[in-house]
Amino acid sequence: MKYFVVDAFTENIFGGNPAGICVLEKSLDETLMQNIAKENNLSETAFVYKEQNNYCLRWFTPGGEIDLCGHATLGTAYVIANFVDKNVKVMKFSTKSGILTVEKKGELFEMDFPSRMPKKIDAIDKVADVIGIKPLETHLSRDLVALLESEEQVKNLKPDFVKMKQLNIGLGVVVTAKGQKEDFVSRYFAPELNVNEDPVTGSSHSSLVPFWAERLGKQHLVARQLSERGGVLVCENAGERVKISGSAVLYMVGEINL
């Protein structure tokens, strides 16, 4: 099968978040897809094939399948628009999170994702023990969201991944704060999925966008993920949906032999 590696949410190679994209003719056995994801050893490997007018899309981490992934969706849209259907402007993906639409707008790909406003929970002390800083608030949707005081705290955080793996609250842990230049910043950790830190996480912004839109009183936001690679996300709060846009750059084209 054709295999691509795309750096998503960046204009520069070695930036953003790398995603493996496997272009298929039909669906594969789940165990085989999981083994490919383990072998690729990226935070996400996407598997996509055309079915009538839509594309079927699934995402696998080295530790298992997940229900929503932003950077691998962006990477998949980039591959389709540049190598599979060069005239396409709007792509519809059938996924475990329903139909996701991606629209090519110049150099940006705008993804239409479900909005997942996190609900406030009392986990401040548990999270403080894991991340070494007492958060101002803790919230939960798919992921555990910890609100910190400053961008510097987010940037310099050194969590205990052994303790985090045993936390068992949410799929991953998001730390976030108001940004100095951007509207907000974040980092994302998912040791239960064998991904200690994900470089840029589009799916976490399904929660972060409504979370910060409410706090900042604005619907259009720019976010930065403060991992070592880093990445920028252009976001819009749109009621029950969120729009998340970013650019991408090709790193590798190859073939997987099975």
Side-chain angles (χ1 to χ4, degrees):
M1 70 186 73
K2 275 286 188 181
Y3 176 63
F4 302 80
V5 176
V6 176
D7 291 337
F9 295 114
T10 182
E11 296 177 353
N12 303 307
I13 201 165
F14 307 127
N17 199 352
I21 315 297
C22 295
V23 179
L24 313 177
E25 293 182 1
K26 59 182 180 180
S27 182
L28 294 181
D29 175 76
E30 285 190 7
T31 301
L32 180 56
M33 288 190 284
Q34 186 61 68
N35 285 334
I36 292 171
K38 287 181 181 179
E39 189 78 5
N40 291 345
N41 201 31
L42 295 170
S43 61
E44 296 290 346
T45 296
F47 297 86
V48 64
Y49 62 94
K50 187 76 176 284
E51 190 171 74
Q52 297 179 339
N53 294 325
N54 292 354
Y55 289 92
C56 293
L57 176 61
R58 296 174 73 174
W59 311 276
F60 285 78
T61 76
E65 186 176 11
I66 63 170
D67 68 334
L68 185 65
C69 178
H71 82 280
T73 302
L74 174 55
T76 301
Y78 175 91
V79 167
I80 289 172
N82 285 281
F83 297 96
V84 179
D85 184 358
K86 294 183 180 181
N87 295 317
V88 71
K89 294 295 181 183
V90 177
M91 293 154 270
K92 292 186 179 295
F93 297 99
S94 300
T95 77
K96 290 200 168 189
S97 290
I99 300 295
L100 303 180
T101 301
V102 182
E103 184 175 354
K104 189 176 188 301
K105 294 185 173 182
E107 296 301 314
L108 293 179
F109 291 86
E110 181 184 80
M111 300 181 291
D112 182 288
F113 274 16
S115 178
R116 294 173 168 177
M117 172 65 93
K119 296 181 179 180
K120 195 170 185 178
I121 63 169
D122 183 13
I124 289 175
D125 291 337
K126 290 181 179 179
V127 173
D129 183 52
V130 169
I131 68 175
I133 295 175
K134 189 172 184 178
L136 299 175
E137 300 173 10
T138 49
H139 298 250
L140 181 65
S141 55
R142 183 195 72 173
D143 304 307
L144 175 61
V145 178
L147 176 64
L148 303 188
E149 284 188 18
S150 68
E151 180 174 318
E152 284 300 310
Q153 283 188 340
V154 174
K155 183 178 179 180
N156 297 324
L157 197 73
K158 295 181 179 178
D160 185 323
F161 292 117
V162 174
K163 289 183 178 179
M164 187 177 285
K165 199 168 187 177
Q166 299 167 350
L167 189 59
N168 295 322
I169 306 176
L171 181 70
V173 176
V174 186
V175 294
T176 187
K178 190 175 185 301
Q180 295 173 358
K181 295 182 180 179
E182 292 79 20
D183 291 298
F184 66 90
V185 297
S186 68
R187 289 172 69 189
Y188 185 87
F189 310 101
E192 286 191 46
L193 297 174
N194 297 328
V195 180
N196 281 345
E197 180 167 7
D198 194 41
V200 191
T201 315
S203 59
S204 66
H205 287 71
S206 281
S207 298
L208 291 172
V209 172
F211 181 85
W212 281 107
E214 182 179 90
R215 278 162 174 72
L216 299 177
K218 57 192 300 189
Q219 305 309 310
H220 295 269
L221 306 121
V222 178
R224 181 177 293 275
Q225 198 153 327
L226 296 176
S227 63
E228 182 178 347
R229 294 172 67 105
V232 175
L233 307 92
V234 180
C235 309
E236 179 186 351
N237 190 45
E240 295 183 355
R241 309 293 293 180
V242 298
K243 304 291 182 70
I244 303 168
S245 300
S247 54
V249 60
L250 182 68
Y251 171 66
M252 186 180 77
V253 181
E255 292 181 345
I256 293 177
N257 300 297
L258 299 173

